[in-house]
Amino acid sequence: MCMFASSKSPCGRGLRKGTWVEQKALFKVQALLLFALFKGWSAFAGCQGPQRSCRPWLQPRHSCCVQLNAGDGDHPGRVVFLGSPSCVEVVLQRLVESQGHDFEVCAVVSRPPKRVKKAVSKTAVHDLAEKLGVPCVLTPPSAKDPGFLEELESLKPDVCVTAAYGEYLPRRFLQTPRLGTVNLHPSLLPRWRGASPVQRCLVAGDTETGITILYTVPKMDAGPIIVQKKMSLQGSETSPDLLDKLFAWGADLLVDQVIPKLLSGEVTMDTAQVQDEALVEKAPIITKEEGRLWPHNETAMQMRDKVRGYAGWPGTTLPVACSGSTAPLEGVRIKVADAEIVPIDSVSSFISSHAPDEELFFIPEVNGRAAVGLRPACDKVNALLLRSFHIPGKKHEVPAETFKKGYMSFQPAKWITPEEEAAMVTTSSGGTKKKRKRTRGPRQ
């Protein structure tokens, strides 16, 4: 019988009056016993206490996720891959297909799933890692999360590989892999350091680009270069296609050259090539406003390079005054794609001799397809041809023939300046009435 028991309690074991000190001592003893039991169970189950169990994104899919360090010659090197978008799936695919005696992919780290309406959407890399059977998939809310960093340290990786992961890596992360962290960057560093290297490269009109594999250091994209591969640009590439190609190249370089040299000690942070800071060009995050075309002060080549570089997101829009009837023209921004430059002399037969420079013209066929052309105000030599149009309020893109029938048949369409666009928007918005929401009256 408990020394603090009393026959007056509901269960026959209540506390006597005036024994608060004994009650407090009992609670302490019980708490210590429970804590000792929990710690013993945690050690038996291979768990690291309640911190790990309360983070579902840290749960490994298999128990082999936590092992002793490898890569010492008797065991394959342990590689952790970090990536998120679909353009770097090829890197993970190549790593998993090539793992064997030399190295193994012991974990994949990706951005956390997002809730889209009522569904939860995982990143492309997260989905692929689960399909490929990677033993451990982690999706921390931040690379600085202490629980995530503890989990990474428990993996004891030899090399971490990043490709468009989308998170800044703290110093504690960079100190974890035995041989360092390497990054696949789709540009010829030190040109275009930052979040949008491919887009900035195309918009700037570069004639060559490439893929760089470099060591990751605290400063963005500033680490020593391990290897680079160059390619010439023809002027027709778009950023989504170019990203896919460059990361495919990077995957081959990573598996065939970089990882073997890292594991053998042939390449180290000290032997890699230091970047020339005098040649640095920044590639900051793109804004939606950058996708606007301005024929009044941009050349045909500048607008074509914008269409190439901003394909996908944010896309490029052209300010146009048009009407699908005999009603007055209205200013609207039309999303355009599939641009090409041609000499103005080659399409002069399709342009009316009395048409002003800002009037759009239609070409039934050029290089096998119809197009709508425009003449930039500051470029009298070239014309810009557009073949894909997305009208605001419409669900799908339409070809040049459809745009011509709908918006160039009754009245000529023309590009407009920022001032004209602002005036048209003000006029159209000032004459519209806001619809009043109907409300159902009370039942009689």
Side-chain angles (χ1 to χ4, degrees), residues 374-434:
L374 65 86
R375 293 171 289 172
C378 59
D379 187 353
K380 303 298 183 182
V381 179
N382 299 309
L384 182 70
L385 304 185
L386 302 168
R387 294 188 172 87
S388 179
F389 302 84
H390 193 174
I391 313 300
K394 304 295 183 181
K395 292 184 178 181
H396 305 290
E397 295 182 354
V398 296
E401 299 95 333
T402 305
F403 179 78
K404 189 255 182 185
K405 291 178 183 178
Y407 297 94
M408 297 173 62
S409 298
F410 294 94
Q411 301 182 65
K414 64 176 184 176
W415 56 259
I416 53 179
T417 64
E419 295 76 16
E420 291 173 326
E421 181 184 23
M424 285 186 169
V425 170
T426 302
T427 303
S428 61
S429 61
T432 58
K433 294 183 179 180
K434 187 175 181 180

Side-chain angles (χ1 to χ4, degrees), residues 272-330:
Q273 179 185 351
V274 178
Q275 296 187 39
D276 186 352
E277 293 294 322
L279 302 178
V280 172
E281 287 283 351
K282 298 295 181 67
I285 295 176
I286 298 166
T287 63
K288 189 174 182 180
E289 289 71 23
E290 292 183 77
R292 295 180 176 180
L293 302 180
W294 296 113
H296 72 288
N297 65 358
E298 293 177 343
T299 66
M301 183 168 290
Q302 287 175 323
M303 289 188 286
R304 183 206 65 177
D305 291 339
K306 273 189 171 184
V307 173
R308 295 167 58 210
Y310 298 144
W313 194 92
T316 45
T317 57
L318 179 69
V320 175
C322 59
S323 176
S325 65
T326 56
L329 298 179
E330 293 184 1

Side-chain angles (χ1 to χ4, degrees), residues 57-119:
W57 51 265
L58 281 176
Q59 295 292 346
R61 295 175 63 232
H62 302 297
S63 60
C64 63
C65 196
V66 180
Q67 296 181 357
L68 295 176
N69 195 16
D72 55 3
D74 298 329
H75 303 282
R78 295 173 61 75
V79 176
V80 174
F81 176 72
L82 296 89
S84 296
S86 59
C87 60
V88 299
E89 285 182 293
V90 63
V91 183
L92 176 58
Q93 184 81 41
R94 188 81 165 82
L95 281 170
V96 173
E97 290 175 352
S98 304
Q99 65 182 348
H101 176 72
D102 295 330
F103 71 90
E104 63 179 358
V105 180
C106 64
V108 167
V109 183
S110 191
R111 299 297 299 275
K114 294 182 179 180
R115 182 169 293 278
V116 181
K117 295 183 179 180
K118 295 183 179 180

